[in-house]
Amino acid sequence: MIRTYDLALQRSLFLPLVALLIAAAPVFADTDQRQVTRLADGVYAIQHKNSNDGNVNGNTTVIIGDREVFVVDSCYLPSSAREDIAQIHQWTDKPVSYLLNTHFHNDHNNGNKTYLDAFPSLAIVAQEETKKDMDLIQPGNIERSPKQLAATIAAFKQGKDRRGQPLSEDDKKQVQELLPGLEQQLAEFKTMVYQSPTLTFTDKLDIDLGNREVQVMHLGRGNTPGDAIVYLPKEKILVVGDLLVHPIPYTYDGYPAEWVQTLQKIAQLDADIIVPGHGPVLHGKTYLYLVTDLFKSAVEQVRSRIRQIGHPGFHSLDEVQGSVDLTPFRAKFAGDDKDLQAKFDHMTVHLVKLVFNEAALR
């Protein structure tokens, strides 16, 4: 399957189909099967199977109260959102009254319209910066996607990638397996409609679903300007979006220095279970601390180099990259898995670039 490709090939095949910011996410959170985890009575996490176009569906969390239901993130594919809605109807006859978009990346909000169609009184919630980014970026993504996917399908049928370069024989066999799914998704993209958030907040929004308290918070920038998390204090559950992605952090976008501070604030909350934006449910805060330490080390090492060479605006990334060593973290994230080790190394290159760019803009 395409998921076994190296990152460079995935990007060459699929990059034009999606926002640049999420194009490489599949290598960090791969799953072939939909998985549902019961976190507490009336609280469920859904880890979706990946799509065939090189993208992933973000995790969805369903929180059921005595009166109504709160959902966190609506997937990349509307068909996956419809599957989730059917599942929710099996769990409860209560309406979904709130849908939170944790951030603006479209693998977490393309299903908004699907939810609104199913629940016309729905409030789609987002931090104010997330709504701004979604309204700026997502309509164009949805408009471009059918043309780009159609062009990719046509190229595959000709034995080429999207850049017109010939595929190897092994690659041709793999993309042939993908074509039926891609054509199904093309039909889905043609009918996709952008739906903006309808309710925004700045710092915090408390919601009572009926004997179930839901705290929605923006603790600072991290993966995006408007990252929102959900905290269930009674159940000690956190839903954090792409502030955490398991098993390898997602570092193609964000503000690493501020990300560290945001993760440190999250760590102060009393929680035993954490639902990441992609990947399996986490128990305890070990992984949260590990990601925090990794980002903190990257920030400190880049800043140390900047103190030596001067303002980064007058220097290149190459003058910094070689001075940052994050290999002590490789085994902690990847163990002896060679594939994960390679993905970790690739991730850290982008992390250092983010840190450098963040410093240059100060």
Side-chain angles (χ1 to χ4, degrees):
M1 295 299 291
I2 198 77
R3 298 178 185 90
T4 64
Y5 284 14
D6 63 31
L7 181 62
L9 179 56
Q10 287 190 23
R11 289 174 63 85
S12 70
L13 294 178
F14 296 117
L15 183 57
L17 301 180
V18 292
L20 174 63
L21 303 176
I22 66 171
V27 301
F28 299 149
D30 185 31
T31 179
D32 291 322
Q33 301 296 327
R34 183 175 182 272
Q35 301 174 35
V36 178
T37 304
R38 180 182 178 275
L39 307 180
D41 184 28
V43 185
Y44 303 90
I46 304 172
Q47 185 180 1
H48 304 93
K49 60 184 178 182
N50 291 337
S51 66
N52 284 337
D53 69 345
N55 278 284
V56 290
N57 284 288
N59 290 341
T60 291
T61 303
V62 178
I63 305 165
I64 303 171
D66 288 346
R67 292 191 308 272
E68 49 201 349
V69 180
F70 189 108
V71 173
V72 184
D73 285 335
S74 64
C75 309
Y76 170 63
L77 292 175
S79 57
S80 297
R82 287 192 291 272
E83 189 175 12
D84 290 350
I85 290 168
Q87 177 79 74
I88 292 170
H89 283 311
Q90 294 178 14
W91 288 328
T92 182
D93 59 0
K94 300 176 180 67
V96 176
S97 297
Y98 302 94
L99 167 65
L100 173 70
N101 297 149
T102 55
H103 59 292
F104 78 89
H105 295 161
N106 62 0
D107 55 322
H108 296 261
N109 55 59
N110 271 353
N112 282 3
K113 185 64 165 56
T114 305
Y115 272 91
L116 188 60
D117 288 344
F119 304 99
S121 298
L122 176 72
I124 302 176
V125 184
Q127 202 274 344
E128 57 191 9
E129 294 300 322
T130 291
K131 175 177 169 55
K132 290 178 184 177
D133 284 336
M134 285 178 62
D135 289 346
L136 175 66
I137 296 170
Q138 302 305 55
N141 282 343
I142 290 175
E143 181 180 351
R144 289 187 298 271
S145 289
K147 296 178 182 178
Q148 293 170 339
L149 183 53
T152 295
I153 291 172
F156 282 178
K157 289 181 176 179
Q158 296 173 15
K160 301 176 181 179
D161 65 19
R162 275 287 282 121
R163 295 188 176 95
Q165 298 300 311
L167 297 173
S168 70
E169 290 304 313
D170 287 342
D171 293 344
K172 288 179 182 178
K173 292 178 182 178
Q174 295 189 61
V175 298
Q176 285 299 317
E177 295 177 7
L178 297 177
L179 281 173
L182 291 175
E183 289 173 337
Q184 291 176 7
Q185 288 174 34
L186 175 58
E188 187 166 353
F189 285 139
K190 287 180 178 179
T191 62
M192 191 180 296
V193 176
Y194 172 65
Q195 175 58 56
S196 177
T198 60
L199 174 64
T200 62
F201 72 99
T202 302
D203 298 315
K204 189 175 182 182
L205 182 66
D206 293 334
I207 297 173
D208 182 3
L209 301 176
N211 198 34
R212 174 150 278 154
E213 179 186 2
V214 176
Q215 297 180 10
V216 184
M217 293 179 277
H218 171 64
L219 298 179
R221 299 198 299 183
N223 173 56
T224 69
D227 294 300
I229 68 167
V230 170
Y231 179 47
L232 305 182
K234 180 179 178 181
E235 296 83 1
K236 297 184 179 181
I237 295 171
L238 276 167
V239 186
V240 299
D242 284 1
L243 286 166
L244 285 179
V245 169
H246 188 277
I248 303 293
Y250 170 31
T251 59
Y252 285 81
D253 191 14
Y255 309 85
E258 296 180 58
W259 203 331
V260 169
Q261 298 172 16
T262 300
L263 291 176
Q264 289 172 336
K265 293 176 183 177
I266 291 174
Q268 294 174 10
L269 297 171
D270 184 13
D272 299 323
I273 296 174
I274 301 176
V275 182
H278 300 273
V281 173
L282 305 171
H283 296 272
K285 298 178 180 177
T286 301
Y287 186 72
L288 169 62
Y289 295 140
L290 179 59
V291 173
T292 304
D293 289 344
L294 170 69
F295 286 6
K296 186 177 180 181
S297 179
V299 170
E300 290 176 347
Q301 290 187 60
V302 170
R303 287 180 173 176
S304 176
R305 178 59 175 161
I306 289 172
R307 282 193 288 270
Q308 294 175 350
I309 65 175
H311 192 284
F314 300 98
H315 297 274
S316 69
L317 175 62
D318 290 341
E319 295 176 80
V320 172
Q321 194 93 50
S323 300
V324 180
D325 180 13
L326 297 173
T327 54
F329 289 92
R330 184 193 286 123
K332 297 177 182 179
F333 280 93
D336 295 327
D337 188 315
K338 299 298 184 183
D339 185 49
L340 273 184
Q341 288 177 358
K343 293 167 185 175
F344 173 85
D345 292 342
H346 189 89
M347 176 273 296
T348 57
V349 170
H350 285 269
L351 174 57
V352 173
K353 180 179 179 180
L354 279 183
V355 178
F356 178 80
N357 290 343
E358 184 181 34
L361 292 173
R362 290 189 179 276

